[in-house]
Amino acid sequence: LTDKTYGTATMEHQFFVDGPLREADAYVNAPGASTPSWRNYLVGSLGAGGRAVFALDVTDSMSMGPSSVRWEISNDDDADIGYVLTPIKVGVLKNGRWVAIFGNGFSSTNGYATLFVVDIENAASSNAVVRAAAVKKLNVDTAGSNGLGGVTIIHDASGQIDTVYAGDLKGRMWKLNYSATASSYFEIDGGAALFTATDTSGTAQPITSSPAVYNHSMGGKMLVFGTGKLFSTADATDTSAQSVYGVWDK
């Protein structure tokens, strides 16, 4: 990386494990344990380095080894996994399950916009290959050429997740509510996008980052987010109009 010719035609940049990392606590069973305890998990993605997400148990950093890798999901396992460039969020659902929640990212094989909900405790098999039954998915758009960006999770008064907000490449902001009966644990609020961002000509403005969400003084939530993307070669010279929005979810 320090070579003087790095980044030139003779030595093009290579992405590695470039995704954001997030440390979180979870009250789950340790590997081989029969009773839960507070564990420290590090969740992350390969970012631009590859289409994969992973979780490490870092509770005892002095004895970390291969067994610390709890699970990994890549596009080899699931065609909806793209390049995940935003932080993975961790929390507890209303059913008591601790989960990792993230948008599927961009340039997945299927091209869908998909919310992933992974059961942290039950995801790993003996060799850290993810158990399919522990991975829940909600496809918010299956028309192709799309991807779900960063998620923001909202907790109820008990600290349990009841709402997720996330945007996609087609400029749509989605509100996803917890549902005890849904196979993915979540369903689309009202069956449609909360808001669609477009420029003055009606062209969709992509939403890739997590929205900032605040309590509104008159009730409901205020979502603040910007549009635009910067991860493909064409983005470097794209001069499309982008915007910052404040959307009141009453």
Side-chain angles (χ1 to χ4, degrees):
L1 295 178
T2 59
D3 192 290
K4 290 182 179 180
T5 61
Y6 190 83
T8 66
T10 58
M11 188 181 292
E12 294 183 356
H13 177 65
Q14 297 294 311
F15 292 97
F16 297 99
V17 185
D18 294 341
L21 300 173
R22 175 69 60 90
E23 188 276 336
D25 298 330
Y27 193 67
V28 297
N29 289 337
S34 57
T35 56
S37 61
W38 283 107
R39 311 291 297 175
N40 299 110
Y41 272 76
L42 186 70
V43 292
S45 72
L46 302 189
R51 293 179 288 184
V53 298
F54 59 87
L56 308 178
D57 188 328
V58 296
T59 306
D60 186 359
S61 59
M62 297 301 293
S63 62
M64 289 183 63
S67 62
S68 298
V69 181
R70 296 302 298 126
W71 45 265
E72 178 189 53
I73 313 173
S74 74
N75 66 311
D76 291 332
D77 308 308
D78 194 305
D80 287 323
I81 292 287
Y83 294 93
V84 178
L85 308 178
T86 54
I88 297 169
K89 305 298 177 64
V90 172
V92 61
L93 299 176
K94 291 178 179 290
N95 61 4
R97 302 307 304 173
W98 285 84
V99 294
I101 299 180
F102 55 95
N104 68 316
F106 316 114
S107 298
S108 66
T109 301
N110 286 337
Y112 298 166
T114 304
L115 180 75
F116 273 79
V117 183
V118 182
D119 189 308
I120 286 180
E121 179 182 345
N122 292 330
S125 61
S126 58
N127 58 356
V129 176
V130 71
R131 290 193 179 101
V135 180
K136 310 295 185 182
K137 300 191 301 182
L138 174 61
N139 291 323
V140 298
D141 177 65
T142 59
S145 301
N146 204 352
L148 199 67
V151 302
T152 297
I153 57 177
I154 306 300
H155 304 87
D156 63 14
S158 299
Q160 298 171 324
I161 300 170
D162 63 4
T163 306
V164 173
Y165 293 100
D168 67 17
L169 291 180
K170 296 181 180 180
R172 290 174 292 197
M173 178 58 65
W174 300 92
K175 179 183 181 181
L176 311 171
N177 298 325
Y178 173 80
S179 171
T181 59
S183 59
S184 63
Y185 298 135
F186 287 90
E187 59 186 8
I188 300 172
D189 184 73
L194 175 68
F195 176 80
T196 300
T198 61
D199 63 17
T200 55
S201 65
T203 302
Q205 299 171 300
I207 304 170
T208 58
S209 61
S210 307
V213 182
Y214 306 94
N215 291 325
H216 196 286
S217 61
M218 297 177 64
K221 301 290 184 181
M222 175 63 79
L223 284 67
V224 181
F225 56 91
T227 67
K229 62 187 181 75
L230 186 59
F231 55 79
S232 70
T233 302
D235 294 337
T237 56
D238 189 340
T239 58
S240 301
Q242 304 300 332
S243 307
V244 176
Y245 291 94
V247 176
W248 183 11
D249 177 15
K250 298 182 181 182

